[in-house]
Amino acid sequence: FGSSRDVDESVLAELEETLFTADIGVRTAASLVDLAREKAKKNELRTADGMKQLIRREIERIVDLPVTNTLEGGGPPHVVMVVGVNGAGKTTTIGKLAAKLTAQGKKVILAAGDTFRAAATEQLDVWADRAHAELVKGPEGGDPGAVVFEAAKKAKEQNAAVVIADTAGRLHTRAPLMEELKKVKRVLGKAIPGAPHEVLLVVDATMGQNAIQQARQFHEAVGVTAIALTKLDGTAKGGVIIGIADELKIPVVWVGVGEAVEDLRRFDPKEFVSALFD
Amino acid sequence: TVTKGFRAAKNRLAGKAEITPEMVDESLRDIRVSLLEADVAFDVVKKFVARVREKAIGEVVQTTITDKSGRKVKVSPGDHFVKICHDELEALMGPVDTRLAFKPKNQVTGIMMVGLQGSGKTTTVGKLATKLLKEGRRPLLVAADIYRPAAVDQLKVLGQRVGVPVFHEPGVAPPDLAKKGYAQARAQGCDVVIIDTAGRLAIDEELMQELEAIKKEVQPDNTLLVVDAMIGQDSVRTAAEFDRRISIDGFILTKLDGDARGGAALSIKEVTGKPIKFLGMGESMDRLEEFRPDGLAGRILG
Ligand SMILES: Nc1nc2c(ncn2[C@@H]2O[C@H](COP(=O)(O)OP(=O)(O)OP(=O)(O)O)[C@@H](O)[C@H]2O)c(=O)[nH]1
Ligand SMILES: Nc1nc2c(ncn2[C@@H]2O[C@H](COP(=O)(O)OP(=O)(O)OP(=O)(O)O)[C@@H](O)[C@H]2O)c(=O)[nH]1
Ligand SMILES: [Mg+2]
Ligand SMILES: [Mg+2]
């Protein structure tokens, strides 16, 4: 935006395009553009730069949600259940989280709760090695509940600090698979009272509006406490999390910025918003 | 309002004795919202709406159309508007071309699968192998993802399930893996090689050069971009860049068994001109369908 241009309809149209192409979503984008238009009418907003500032502050306000504990606070062991649709980046994110924890000297147990997909356990096994975490696995095609139960039991016995349970990718439209997820959650609760203390929904930053529906359904099924937004190292902006924050009040806590073990950062609202406008 | 989009547009025009251009424009606003919510790329929505407007202003106001057999028929304006939208969307996603390019039977045909991380390439390689087996061909899979943990294992498991050989050699770079894969195929009497590559960002220079190198080495007859149907506005950037760098022959849209509207289907076709060949409809090896525009058009319009 030419920084000192008047806030006229062409500037608002440009704003709308920026917001839409960041996957912000029609409703949220429309309300942001309306806000800018109202302020401009009342002469509270003079320049395109001023408009940009207003919108950035407003988006920051929406996504800057309070974060309760992440990776600690529950148990011990603190139990994290990782969920999300197919290919979002769950297994990779678990590897990165485990490495962060072991680097702090904490003992981490990983549960290979994806007993369905080809070589899912082998994949998590490599990550467990990289992160110096222990892996509890079960037979392929076996009951995921049994694997996470085993992992929770082991964590208690060994006084582990954290258990992270991987689950198979699933589309929220598959009711039996969502039921399976609820069952895994119940099993964790039976093994360790209060578990899972954290339910981390992994959202792929390249996703469009369907991510909001994903968040709704997973939240309804198992109560999502936090989001890890992956693949933000690409060209996608991950704007869908703004709609998710606005509607469901679920905070983004982690951001994936690559495929290597160190490519994980804490979510920073200011950084996220400024990248939207780049 | 909850029922926005296509239905709202249709209802606005239903039962009206006459339709003004203003009413068409109002309906097109609903359509625009609906398409954006369906993840159709911003610029593609603009183009589509302009095209429909042109047709609609000309035709809908008349409410008498010439049907397929050349007769003049009276239709309700709402129904005709709906028909224009549907037809235009189908036309934009077509023409249908789900064929793969095959070499003569005594030679090895190559299919190279590329795409962003997690889009469904490895799974789709298994599905394609299943389909080709049914058609009497003899596929061999090349595990050329040397980065992702257990990617080779994953393809080997799928190969075993489907009943096709999987070629991999540790410590060999992907272009050479492809070349050796072809040699292996010839040695084993296989007539199709399907190359599974690592997920990558279109902006990753090094990895895009790797794809160029694989392509230069074996010149696959088919280069297919695998796209997750849930993808948002990034579909256009990604498809355009992959096509620009390595020239895509067609697309496969995966995970359509969810409730994503799949607007990317329209965007990627519009931006590259390349056809959508197949649709992934689930995780098991039999869940691959040939692309048909009508089902997808209805889903995108909403
Ligand atoms: N560029 C990039 N790639 C990522 C990121 N996170 C994960 N990936 C890649 O995305 C692909 C899928 O990751 P997985 O960890 O297997 O995803 P998943 O959710 O466990 O997949 P399923 O278990 O099959 O549902 C892999 O190629 C990862 O390397 C990220 O932050 N950036
Ligand atoms: N529901 C559904 N899941 C699918 C479909 N196609 C693939 N998947 C799942 O999506 C996830 C990712 O699939 P992969 O085949 O590993 O994806 P990929 O593109 O090879 O991933 P990378 O190699 O890491 O880039 C897995 O959980 C698959 O089972 C589909 O059509 N429907
Ligand atoms: Mg996984
Ligand atoms: Mg793969």
Side-chain angles (χ1 to χ4, degrees):
Chain A
F1 310 95
S3 53
S4 58
R5 286 162 63 196
D6 274 342
V7 182
D8 56 16
E9 280 305 319
S10 81
V11 169
L12 289 171
E14 268 178 48
L15 171 66
E16 192 186 48
E17 179 162 359
T18 301
L19 297 177
F20 277 133
T21 54
D23 289 309
I24 283 186
V26 184
R27 251 160 274 252
T28 312
S31 67
L32 288 169
V33 173
D34 285 345
L35 178 69
R37 184 178 289 114
E38 283 314 300
K39 296 269 179 183
K41 277 207 182 87
K42 294 197 217 140
N43 262 330
E44 290 174 34
L45 205 60
R46 293 286 168 66
T47 63
D49 232 25
M51 176 189 73
K52 207 165 152 189
Q53 298 284 21
L54 168 78
I55 297 300
R56 283 170 73 140
R57 273 203 311 276
E58 182 60 14
I59 297 176
E60 269 182 46
R61 183 192 66 77
I62 295 171
V63 302
D64 195 356
L65 294 168
V67 179
T68 47
N69 303 313
T70 180
L71 302 185
E72 60 183 16
H78 177 86
V79 177
V80 185
M81 183 167 119
V82 179
V83 304
V85 300
N86 306 73
K90 298 176 290 300
T91 306
T92 305
T93 302
I94 290 171
K96 295 172 181 177
L97 288 171
K100 279 225 188 295
L101 290 165
T102 56
Q104 296 169 11
K106 296 192 173 162
K107 171 142 184 70
V108 180
I109 303 234
L110 302 183
D114 180 355
T115 55
F116 171 76
R117 206 208 68 211
T121 298
E122 286 81 342
Q123 184 186 4
L124 189 61
D125 210 339
V126 172
W127 280 108
D129 269 350
R130 282 181 188 174
H132 309 292
E134 185 166 340
L135 180 71
V136 171
K137 54 190 172 182
E140 187 176 325
D143 173 22
V147 178
V148 304
F149 188 84
E150 193 66 27
K153 233 174 82 234
K154 191 163 223 182
K156 275 196 299 193
E157 290 166 7
Q158 300 188 1
N159 254 320
V162 185
V163 178
I164 310 180
D166 194 6
T167 62
R170 69 204 66 218
L171 295 182
H172 50 276
T173 45
R174 296 283 309 278
L177 296 183
M178 296 307 279
E179 284 309 308
E180 175 188 83
L181 206 57
K182 289 181 192 169
K183 171 155 169 278
V184 169
K185 182 179 183 191
R186 278 197 301 274
V187 167
L188 282 171
K190 286 209 179 82
I192 294 170
H197 308 98
E198 200 173 342
V199 176
L200 187 64
L201 174 70
V202 179
V203 175
D204 183 334
T206 66
M207 294 289 104
Q209 298 310 299
N210 196 248
I212 305 187
Q213 184 59 358
Q214 286 169 29
R216 279 187 202 117
Q217 300 285 53
F218 276 90
H219 190 48
E220 187 177 326
V222 291
V224 175
T225 62
I227 288 173
L229 184 63
T230 61
K231 309 180 196 173
L232 219 47
D233 46 316
T235 45
K237 307 285 185 174
V240 287
I241 61 114
I242 299 169
I244 295 174
D246 207 10
E247 185 180 321
L248 302 172
K249 308 289 181 254
I250 302 173
V252 177
V253 184
W254 298 104
V255 169
V257 291
E259 303 187 67
V261 69
E262 65 269 13
D263 293 332
L264 189 74
R265 306 191 186 133
R266 284 298 295 251
F267 176 71
D268 179 333
K270 283 215 185 320
E271 223 176 275
F272 173 76
V273 174
S274 91
L276 284 180
F277 283 93
D278 284 344
Chain B
T1 58
V2 175
T3 53
K4 268 228 144 271
F6 204 34
R7 203 163 304 163
K10 180 176 179 178
N11 290 338
R12 186 189 305 281
L13 300 174
K16 291 282 185 319
E18 71 157 74
I19 304 259
T20 61
E22 289 71 32
M23 288 159 106
V24 168
D25 278 335
E26 260 181 64
S27 297
L28 286 175
R29 268 195 283 280
D30 287 335
I31 301 269
R32 180 176 176 266
V33 167
S34 186
L35 291 178
L36 286 169
E37 286 183 329
D39 295 320
V40 178
F42 190 82
D43 285 337
V44 176
V45 174
K46 254 197 200 151
K47 263 196 187 156
F48 177 81
V49 167
R51 264 202 186 94
V52 169
R53 184 173 194 282
E54 212 175 316
K55 275 217 168 75
I57 300 283
E59 297 188 35
V60 171
V61 185
Q62 297 170 27
T63 70
T64 307
I65 59 158
T66 308
D67 76 0
K68 289 209 167 73
S69 62
R71 294 173 306 162
K72 283 239 178 263
V73 216
K74 250 211 171 299
V75 284
S76 91
D79 286 348
H80 192 49
F81 183 78
V82 166
K83 185 168 188 321
I84 289 173
C85 285
H86 224 280
D87 289 355
E88 192 57 29
L89 195 52
E90 273 193 47
L92 286 178
M93 288 200 290
V96 174
D97 173 12
T98 61
R99 298 161 308 162
L100 291 171
F102 286 103
K103 286 210 172 70
K105 262 295 182 131
N106 59 343
Q107 292 178 42
V108 175
T109 292
I111 304 174
M112 178 165 97
M113 308 283 280
V114 304
L116 295 175
Q117 290 89 346
S119 56
K121 297 175 290 301
T122 306
T123 306
T124 306
V125 168
K127 293 178 184 180
L128 264 180
T130 302
K131 170 176 155 62
L132 292 172
L133 266 184
K134 286 205 185 90
E135 294 171 359
R137 299 191 191 266
R138 301 198 47 203
L140 174 140
L141 313 182
V142 175
D145 179 353
I146 59 173
Y147 310 102
R148 170 171 153 156
V152 175
D153 291 321
Q154 186 185 3
L155 193 65
K156 284 189 171 163
V157 170
L158 294 181
Q160 211 164 27
R161 276 184 202 166
V162 171
V164 294
V166 179
F167 171 75
H168 181 74
E169 197 180 305
V172 177
D176 284 321
L177 282 173
K179 183 167 175 215
K180 289 184 172 209
Y182 267 72
Q184 183 79 340
R186 281 182 206 106
Q188 289 192 20
C190 294
D191 58 2
V192 188
V193 163
I194 312 177
I195 306 166
D196 184 23
T197 66
R200 68 204 63 215
L201 301 174
I203 53 170
D204 186 324
E205 184 54 32
E206 201 170 318
L207 286 183
M208 290 308 282
Q209 283 182 14
E210 176 186 277
L211 286 186
E212 289 170 339
I214 298 175
K215 197 150 180 171
K216 190 157 181 247
E217 188 68 49
V218 295
Q219 294 170 14
D221 307 90
N222 306 274
T223 301
L224 303 177
L225 182 69
V226 178
V227 179
D228 189 325
M230 303 183 271
I231 195 171
Q233 297 289 316
D234 199 49
S235 62
V236 163
R237 285 183 286 251
T238 295
E241 188 60 10
F242 268 94
D243 191 32
R244 185 183 77 83
R245 292 299 296 262
I246 59 166
S247 184
I248 301 294
D249 296 307
F251 298 97
I252 301 182
L253 209 59
T254 62
K255 307 179 202 173
L256 274 163
D257 45 316
D259 58 4
R261 300 264 296 276
L266 179 59
S267 312
I268 59 187
K269 171 83 212 322
E270 180 67 9
V271 155
T272 63
K274 305 294 169 69
I276 299 165
K277 302 261 176 206
F278 302 107
L279 307 176
M281 289 290 193
E283 293 188 78
S284 51
M285 297 291 100
D286 57 353
R287 291 297 161 98
L288 190 72
E289 294 178 11
E290 293 199 349
F291 169 67
R292 283 181 37 216
D294 50 340
L296 207 40
R299 178 173 179 149
I300 291 174
L301 277 171

